[in-house]
Amino acid sequence: MAVGAGEPALRSALRERGYVRLLLLSLVLGAPISVACFFFVGFQHELQHWVWESLPEAAGYGTPPWWWPLPALVLAGLVLAPIVTRMPGAGGHVPVHGLGGPPIGPRAVPGVVLAALGTLPLGVVLGPEAPLMAVGSGLALLALRGSRAAADPRTVAVVGTAGSTAAISTILGGPLVAAVLTVEAAALGGTRMVLVLLPCLIASAAGALVFTGFGSWTGLDIGDLSLPAVPPGAAPDAGDFLWGLPVAALIAVLIAAGRGLGLRTLRWTGRHTAVRTVVCATAVGGCAAVYALLTGRSPTEAALSGQDAIGGLALDPHAWPVAALVALVLCKGLAWAIALGSLRGGPIFPAVLLGAATALACSGLPGFGTAPALALGITAAAAAVTGLPLSSAVLAVLLMGRAAHDQMPLIVAASVVAFVVAQLVRRDEAGAASGTGARSGAGAG
């Protein structure tokens, strides 16, 4: 009944010339923003390949030695410190606050780009999703500068959000995930939801088309979050639910604990920011080096965002001993928590890898299958880190591909369990930190 009551208002809004112009503007902006973002993430991925593959090979190493993350992360801290302390926008939002708050202005875009390109390829254990959204919103608002629309706060908010959605659409699996994430994060409903969603959909669809075309034309790899293959598996049974739901709760607790450490790191870096930023970056490199020493595996698994590692984990999970998975969760989890409060990037990609690794480490339990473990690990981690259970379930479904149909009940249940547990833990955490002035950003739940 509520939908029917809102239909006249919706039809009236859709007929407004200003809204039609807003849709056309979103469509027009989607393509150039996505071109810029394509080369942004493509260049970032090429720099990462050079730092962690080409340069070690040129130095005579088949894979990066255990100590490789230490100088790389020290350099990342030295690059980031002046950006955080001197440039407009401080290099973007702090990742412990989620995917960020309101769209950023054009003045902050150079700092975001420099922080991302100067540190993400060096292995700061954060993803490109938050900088990408910031660049998209900044470019979209730049296009409005000087126009009458720039004086309308609602138009600015919608266009900035559409730019962010266009930028993030492909790297998170396409326009569908980006649009659902936008709506759920904004907590919108009714007519307002539709009016905001349509520009985001049309901009992200244009952006996805551009990403697809440029990927085939240029041959550049953007390193999006994707699984080349998933373990075979049937529909989850009672054993998968018996083990899976407690594991989803465990993942939520781990992610919430990492965020709690990130908040404490953020408070610590509030003074002597430049020096302590370098110290935190060095600590992140130390965690990756310890992982390589403990396991004898490549430090890239613990040092980078996790985009490549989760694909390898899904392709052949049995190639990872349980001890290596546990070491990955501990070392990368600690590095991720430190980076959340001190460095710049997105929080989602590393969290998804941590969730998948935790679940797969438990998949040897009696009656707990590998495919259900992977599905619930992705979902639970995404729901816990974003506070968006619907978006997390959609992301897991798209990543799992055809296998998602069988795993759908477990995916949905894991998303709800992880969301509820994370919110309960964060409520206690917020109460303990109420006097510190730490704020909770949009998308962080």
Side-chain angles (χ1 to χ4, degrees):
M1 289 188 292
V3 174
E7 285 179 357
L10 176 59
R11 286 195 296 266
S12 176
L14 291 175
R15 292 192 188 104
E16 291 181 6
R17 295 177 62 183
Y19 186 73
V20 173
R21 287 196 297 267
L22 183 59
L23 286 177
L24 293 176
L25 178 62
S26 299
L27 176 62
V28 171
L29 289 178
I33 288 174
S34 295
V35 170
C37 290
F38 174 85
F39 285 106
F40 170 73
V41 294
F43 186 48
Q44 180 251 321
H45 196 73
E46 289 299 309
L47 287 175
Q48 178 179 304
H49 174 82
W50 181 76
V51 171
W52 296 94
E53 296 181 28
S54 300
L55 197 57
E57 290 176 1
Y61 298 102
T63 58
W66 67 267
W67 51 264
W68 195 264
L70 293 171
L73 270 298
V74 170
L75 178 59
L78 293 172
V79 169
L80 184 61
I83 297 174
V84 169
T85 55
R86 297 178 181 273
M87 292 195 70
H93 84 291
V94 182
V96 74
H97 296 316
L99 285 177
I104 71 163
R107 291 184 68 247
V109 170
V112 171
V113 172
L114 288 176
L117 294 182
T119 63
L120 291 181
L122 295 173
V124 298
V125 196
L126 294 168
E129 63 276 13
L132 200 60
M133 293 180 72
V135 170
S137 68
L139 293 178
L141 296 181
L142 180 63
L144 287 182
R145 178 171 288 181
S147 68
R148 287 183 298 175
D152 182 5
R154 292 177 298 178
T155 300
V156 169
V158 172
V159 171
T161 303
S164 297
T165 310
I168 200 66
S169 61
T170 298
I171 205 166
L172 282 183
L176 181 59
V177 178
V180 173
L181 185 149
T182 299
V183 172
E184 192 175 14
L188 301 175
T191 301
R192 186 183 174 203
M193 179 194 73
V194 177
L195 295 179
V196 174
L197 178 59
L198 292 181
C200 294
L201 275 173
I202 198 167
S204 60
L209 178 62
V210 169
F211 266 72
T212 302
F214 271 79
S216 60
W217 298 336
T218 64
L220 287 175
D221 184 0
I222 62 170
D224 58 330
L225 188 63
S226 60
L227 302 181
V230 298
D237 55 21
D240 295 315
F241 278 89
L242 178 65
W243 294 114
L245 297 186
V247 169
L250 171 62
I251 292 170
V253 170
L254 292 175
I255 296 298
R259 183 175 178 273
L261 179 56
L263 288 171
R264 287 189 286 274
T265 303
L266 175 60
R267 294 194 290 271
W268 186 70
T269 56
R271 298 179 58 191
H272 311 294
T273 301
V275 172
R276 292 182 177 182
T277 296
V278 177
V279 171
C280 289
T282 305
V284 170
C287 292
V290 169
Y291 168 78
L293 282 173
L294 290 175
T295 64
R297 300 174 67 92
S298 172
T300 59
E301 295 170 353
L304 297 173
S305 68
Q307 294 162 258
D308 296 328
I310 192 171
L313 187 61
L315 183 63
D316 189 8
H318 299 294
W320 292 64
V322 173
L325 292 172
V326 172
L328 180 67
V329 171
L330 294 177
C331 295
K332 192 180 188 76
L334 179 58
W336 175 70
I338 296 171
L340 283 179
S342 57
L343 307 180
R344 296 297 184 269
I348 297 178
F349 286 18
V352 168
L353 175 60
L354 291 172
T358 301
L360 287 173
C362 300
S363 63
L365 295 168
F368 194 17
T370 303
L374 180 64
L376 79 88
I378 292 171
T379 311
V385 75
T386 64
L388 306 175
L390 178 58
S391 301
S392 302
V394 173
L395 175 63
V397 167
L398 293 181
L399 286 177
M400 294 295 294
R402 293 181 179 179
H405 181 271
D406 291 334
Q407 309 303 329
M408 193 78 72
L410 187 59
I411 287 175
V412 173
S415 180
V416 172
V417 168
F419 171 76
V420 171
V421 171
Q423 293 303 309
L424 292 175
V425 173
R426 288 181 186 180
R427 182 178 179 182
D428 295 339
E429 172 189 282
S434 58
T436 65
R439 64 180 179 86
S440 176

